[in-house]
């Protein structure tokens, strides 16, 4: 498509020269009965050229006709220009795209600059829950989009392994648990300890007591001072949590390059805070706490970067993290994949970064919460009767359902896993990330609707045709073949590079999800009308059609890979 944009731009430049220098040309895809591409450029030129759009459109049409690239240039309505390209020319265009320097669909917008992606950044105090699904999926897809657009990516799981939870764990462990239980139940034991301790602290608080909380705080201070017992606890708990985190992420096919937790930054972060005070950027309050005022950035609430008792907090370690990512990763951009509840926090953090003089581009890639459909049809925040839904349980359930759906056929466990994960992930991308994710087991596995399995099935079908006809894949293509039957599929494939670019620019993996869905539908329409490899199809035409299917297979694979969805062998 971008080549056609260039051709239209060239025509306009030839006609109007400097007057239109900075004008961007966009091509839309109109209703196919009007043409293949369309532009409203004549209307937009009206103001600049002080001419009627119709006259301008006529001039552009004449220029384009001269160029002879389009088989038809039509003017419609108040000055739309509709462009038609022959199917053959489109297929040549597609082939040229596939023989470019980069893999088809990819570009070099990022020019090798470095982006750090912060996800899923779970707190180690609890097992992964359904709440970690979105940061994991969206973060992974964002990483893939950045890679496809020429960025060097560094993914870093900013583990929440510091602060009060640690103290709560140690104190809770000593009261409610023991070594055997911990060894046996691992992270689930830690999760239970945490929940019990929280409940106890709440009771204490209601009675106006702080015994447990004080003890927990004490453990944290001991850890800060390097006390060996506290350190041993911290190591053991972290080991358990990280192992669990990696195992669950692996089921989702996700792996981050680093998992530098908050605790990693504490020491340097506290130093950095004091330096900010020395530099006059931060201020110490009378109670000893340290803040950075953000009024100059239109934010009334200052950001607190050290507590009155000298203890670091979330923002402290984030300051340390910013410094580390600048100095060690040389990040040009940092993307924080974190739910919408932390919007204001990131507004504050980014303003502080600006005030300090950080040059990196900082983005909060936020997303909405997860809702579920209840048995009575109502919608509510996702939970199980016990409380949170654990991510492992959710994936087990997804596999169970994938297996049930597949009942009679012989499908490998690995394929079942791919279908289960694909269904869950696709639901995450089904709407734009700002919209909450709706968790509905039924639509998630629908083979006819807007779902992961529906798209995987379309990809499996293409791959099967290619496999079954492997011996014809290199047959000679009929040079005279016109590709008319493939035209709308080819147009769709030609949209792919711009789709990737748009998804990357907006950090919206959803755009890719929409695209593959439309491609899948397009393919189903295609098979209905067009035999690919039956005996009635002449060999040269069959070769052309199989060649086009190879392109389709590539695009499915590439697009699904961006979303972190694998294609099963069979389903
Ligand atoms: N652990 C935090 C939470 O669960 C998210 C951390 C996000 N990353 C960051 N650099 N603040 O709320």
């Amino acid at each position: 498509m971008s080549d056609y944009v260039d051709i239209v731009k060239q025509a306009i430049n030839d006609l109007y020269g400097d007057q239109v220098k900075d004008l961007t040309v966009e091509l839309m895809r109109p209703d196919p009965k009007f043409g293949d591409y369309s532009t409203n450029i004549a209307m937009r030129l009206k103001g600049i050229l002080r001419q009627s759009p119709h006259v301008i459109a006529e001039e552009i049409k004449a220029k384009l006709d001269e160029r002879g690239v389009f088989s038809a240039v039509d003017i419609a309505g108040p000055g739309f220009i509709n462009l038609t390209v022959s199917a053959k020319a489109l297929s040549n265009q597609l082939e040229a795209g596939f023989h470019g320097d980069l893999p088809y669909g990819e570009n070099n917008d990022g020019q090798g600059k470095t982006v750090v992606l912060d996800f899923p950044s779970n707190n180690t105090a609890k097992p992964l829950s359904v709440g970690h699904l979105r940061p994991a999926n969206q973060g992974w897809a964002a990483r893939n989009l950045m890679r496809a657009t020429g960025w060097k990516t560094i993914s870093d799981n900013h583990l929440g392994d510091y602060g009060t939870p640690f103290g709560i764990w140690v104190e809770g462990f000593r009261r409610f648990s023991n070594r055997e239980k911990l060894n046996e139940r691992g992270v689930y034991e830690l999760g239970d300890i945490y929940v019990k301790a929280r409940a106890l602290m709440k009771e204490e608080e209601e009675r106006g007591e702080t015994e447990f909380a004080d003890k927990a705080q004490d453990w944290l201070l001991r850890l800060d001072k390097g006390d060996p017992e506290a350190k041993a606890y911290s190591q053991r708990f972290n080991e358990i949590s990280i192992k669990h985190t990696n195992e669950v992420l692996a089921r989702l096919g996700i792996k981050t390059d680093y998992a530098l937790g908050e605790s990693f930054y504490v020491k340097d972060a506290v130093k950095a805070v004091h330096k900010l005070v020395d530099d006059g950027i931060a201020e110490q309050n009378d109670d000893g706490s340290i803040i950075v005022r953000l009024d100059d950035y239109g934010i009334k609430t200052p950001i607190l970067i050290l507590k009155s008792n000298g203890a670091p907090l979330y923002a402290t370690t984030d300051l340390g993290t910013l410094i580390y990512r600048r100095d060690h990763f040389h990040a040009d951009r940092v993307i924080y994949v974190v739910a919408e509840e932390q919007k204001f926090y990131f507004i504050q953090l980014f303003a502080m970064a600006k005030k300090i003089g950080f040059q990196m581009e900082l983005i909060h890639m936020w997303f909405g919460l997860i809702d579920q459909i209840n048995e009575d049809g109502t919608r509510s925040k996702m939970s199980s009767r016990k409380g949170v839904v654990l991510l492992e349980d959710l994936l087990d359930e997804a596999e169970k359902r994938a297996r049930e759906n597949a009942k009679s056929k012989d499908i490998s466990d690995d394929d079942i896993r791919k279908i289960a994960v694909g269904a869950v992930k696709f639901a995450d991308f089904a709407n734009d990330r700002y919209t909450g994710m709706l968790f509905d087991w039924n639509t998630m596995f629908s083979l006819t609707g807007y779902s992961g399995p529906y798209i995987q099935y379309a990809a499996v079908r293409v791959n099967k045709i290619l496999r079954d006809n492997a011996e014809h894949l290199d047959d000679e293509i009929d040079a005279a073949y016109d590709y008319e039957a493939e035209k709308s599929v080819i147009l769709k494939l030609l949209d792919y590079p711009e789709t990737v670019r748009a998804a990357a620019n907006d950090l919206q993996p959803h755009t890719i999800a929409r695209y593959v869905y439309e491609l899948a539908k397009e393919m189903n329409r295609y098979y209905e009308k067009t035999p690919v490899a039956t005996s009635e199809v002449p060999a040269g035409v069959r070769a052309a059609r199989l060649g086009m299917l190879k392109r389709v297979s590539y695009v499915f694979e590439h697009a699904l890979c961006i979303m972190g969805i694998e294609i099963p062998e069979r389903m």
Side-chain angles (χ1 to χ4, degrees):
M1 171 142 93
S2 63
D3 289 15
Y4 298 125
V5 169
D6 290 344
I7 288 165
V8 175
K9 226 191 262 171
Q10 189 59 53
I12 292 169
N13 262 330
D14 290 353
L15 283 165
Y16 311 116
D18 277 351
Q19 280 172 285
V20 297
K21 230 178 34 233
D22 303 319
L23 203 71
T24 55
V25 174
E26 272 170 27
L27 291 184
M28 261 81 70
R29 292 277 305 277
D31 185 325
K33 65 176 181 272
F34 298 124
D36 300 322
Y37 297 107
S38 130
T39 176
N40 63 0
I41 196 71
M43 274 108 93
R44 287 175 43 220
L45 281 167
K46 175 182 155 194
I48 302 173
L49 302 175
R50 302 186 179 289
Q51 269 267 20
S52 97
H54 216 269
V55 173
I56 300 170
E58 287 289 356
E59 286 174 351
I60 297 172
K61 173 180 159 55
K63 199 83 205 165
L64 289 174
D65 281 341
E66 212 174 279
R67 205 38 224 278
V69 174
F70 301 107
S71 56
V73 179
D74 301 303
I75 300 168
F80 285 106
I81 304 172
N82 293 325
L83 307 165
T84 306
V85 195
S86 76
K88 179 91 174 177
L90 288 171
S91 97
N92 289 337
Q93 181 82 8
L94 185 67
E95 282 317 292
F98 268 90
H99 287 93
D101 295 337
L102 291 168
Y104 186 68
E106 303 193 5
N107 65 53
N108 194 25
D109 291 353
Q111 298 176 318
K113 286 184 287 186
T114 299
V115 53
V116 172
L117 296 114
D118 183 315
F119 72 89
S121 306
N122 51 301
N123 296 333
T124 53
K126 293 182 232 161
L128 289 176
S129 73
V130 64
H132 297 106
L133 197 56
R134 303 209 80 187
N137 292 338
Q138 299 279 339
W140 184 250
R143 166 204 181 261
N144 296 334
L145 282 170
M146 291 294 94
R147 285 163 86 95
T149 50
W151 289 79
K152 177 173 176 271
T153 63
I154 297 176
S155 52
D156 181 19
N157 187 356
H158 189 72
L159 289 170
D161 61 354
Y162 183 75
T164 350
F166 169 74
I168 294 176
W169 258 355
V170 184
E171 193 50 29
F173 173 75
R174 295 165 70 96
R175 293 201 195 191
F176 322 122
S177 185
N178 57 50
R179 206 168 284 271
E180 289 72 54
K181 275 199 207 160
L182 186 63
N183 288 344
E184 199 188 301
R185 300 188 59 235
V187 75
Y188 294 101
E189 181 66 15
L190 285 178
D192 287 352
I193 293 172
Y194 190 77
V195 171
K196 270 189 212 157
R198 276 262 173 232
L200 181 70
M201 283 166 74
K202 207 172 156 211
E203 282 169 28
E204 278 192 350
E205 206 183 309
E206 280 158 11
R207 290 199 301 269
E209 292 167 12
T210 58
E211 198 212 325
F212 189 99
D214 290 345
K215 286 239 169 76
Q217 191 61 33
D218 214 49
W219 278 108
L220 197 58
L221 287 178
R222 279 174 74 172
L223 181 65
D224 285 345
K225 294 210 181 81
D227 170 284
E229 199 182 357
K231 256 169 104 175
Y233 275 127
S234 163
Q235 257 163 24
R236 180 75 185 114
F237 292 164
N238 270 355
E239 232 170 56
I240 293 172
S241 307
I242 290 169
K243 183 166 166 274
H244 164 78
T245 299
N246 291 339
E247 277 167 10
V248 181
L249 290 182
R251 282 182 77 175
L252 290 168
I254 293 172
K255 191 174 181 317
T256 59
D257 303 323
Y258 294 88
L260 301 175
E262 292 172 17
S263 63
F264 174 81
Y265 302 100
V266 172
K267 245 203 182 138
D268 290 341
V270 173
K271 277 191 213 145
V273 168
H274 291 298
K275 186 164 182 302
L276 286 185
V277 178
D278 293 344
D279 294 347
I281 296 172
E283 289 167 41
Q284 184 142 30
N285 291 324
D286 293 341
D287 67 358
S289 60
I290 296 178
I291 57 164
V292 175
R293 290 192 191 282
L294 304 170
D295 305 77
D296 298 351
Y297 298 85
I299 301 163
K300 285 206 198 77
T301 327
I303 184 166
L304 178 67
I305 54 175
L306 209 65
K307 288 200 221 167
S308 55
N309 64 359
L313 64 174
Y314 190 45
T316 321
T317 48
D318 258 331
L319 170 64
T321 310
L322 278 165
I323 296 170
Y324 189 86
R325 287 173 178 167
R326 179 191 61 196
D327 297 347
H328 291 264
F329 291 147
H330 307 290
D332 298 291
R333 173 188 277 185
V334 182
I335 300 176
Y336 299 81
V337 190
V338 185
E340 66 178 321
E341 294 124 308
Q342 292 190 33
K343 251 186 186 167
F344 183 64
Y345 170 72
F346 282 108
I347 290 175
Q348 283 188 310
L349 185 73
F350 296 173
M352 174 175 78
K354 226 184 223 155
K355 183 159 173 167
I356 297 172
F358 280 97
Q359 302 287 316
M360 302 178 283
E361 180 191 7
L362 303 175
I363 301 174
H364 177 201
M365 181 181 166
W366 62 272
F367 48 83
L369 297 173
I370 304 187
D371 282 353
Q372 68 182 9
I373 294 283
N374 302 312
E375 265 159 33
D376 62 2
T378 56
R379 186 173 167 147
S380 68
K381 194 178 159 185
M382 184 133 187
S383 69
S384 74
R385 241 158 283 151
K386 283 179 289 177
V388 286
V389 179
L390 297 173
L391 195 42
E392 284 195 293
D393 291 348
L394 183 137
L395 292 174
D396 288 345
E397 175 70 21
E399 284 182 16
K400 200 182 110 209
R401 291 192 184 239
R403 177 62 75 194
E404 274 165 18
N405 285 356
K407 235 180 302 192
S408 55
K409 293 161 260 170
D410 87 276
I411 295 179
S412 72
D413 287 345
D414 200 39
D415 278 352
I416 290 294
R417 185 189 58 79
K418 288 177 185 172
I419 297 165
V421 170
V424 170
K425 286 197 184 190
F426 194 85
D428 203 327
F429 304 127
N431 291 303
D432 73 62
R433 64 184 155 82
Y434 306 127
T435 311
M437 170 181 173
L438 181 60
F439 210 94
D440 174 7
W441 287 113
N442 292 326
T443 56
M444 203 181 289
F445 281 96
S446 153
L447 263 179
T448 50
Y450 180 44
S451 75
Y454 173 76
I455 288 145
Q456 282 172 322
Y457 188 75
V460 166
R461 186 167 179 190
V462 180
N463 291 348
K464 179 167 176 357
I465 298 172
L466 290 172
R467 235 188 357 251
D468 291 349
N469 292 282
E471 78 269 31
H472 301 306
L473 272 178
D474 293 325
D475 287 357
E476 186 125 5
I477 292 173
D478 177 354
Y481 183 61
D482 63 9
Y483 289 94
E484 275 306 327
E486 285 72 30
K487 185 168 183 181
S488 43
V489 174
I490 294 172
L491 277 164
K492 198 78 218 156
L493 294 178
L494 283 171
D495 286 344
Y496 186 57
E498 280 311 307
T499 306
V500 173
R501 172 170 279 129
N505 286 345
D506 307 339
L507 290 171
Q508 277 292 7
H510 161 66
T511 306
I512 304 286
R514 268 310 325 165
Y515 174 86
V516 281
Y517 176 60
E518 282 160 18
L519 180 60
K521 278 197 303 191
E522 199 61 66
M523 288 314 293
N524 289 340
R525 279 195 287 268
Y526 175 68
Y527 299 128
E528 259 169 44
K529 293 182 307 214
T530 321
V532 175
T534 53
S535 53
E536 77 215 65
V537 183
V541 173
R542 177 179 62 200
R545 291 184 174 164
L546 288 172
M548 202 265 310
L549 287 198
K550 241 165 76 178
R551 303 311 187 205
V552 174
S553 164
Y554 167 94
V555 170
F556 268 131
E557 168 106 36
H558 194 273
L560 286 169
C561 181
I562 287 178
M563 293 191 280
I565 296 175
E566 293 173 84
I567 301 172
E569 277 306 299
R570 66 186 82 228
M571 61 189 291

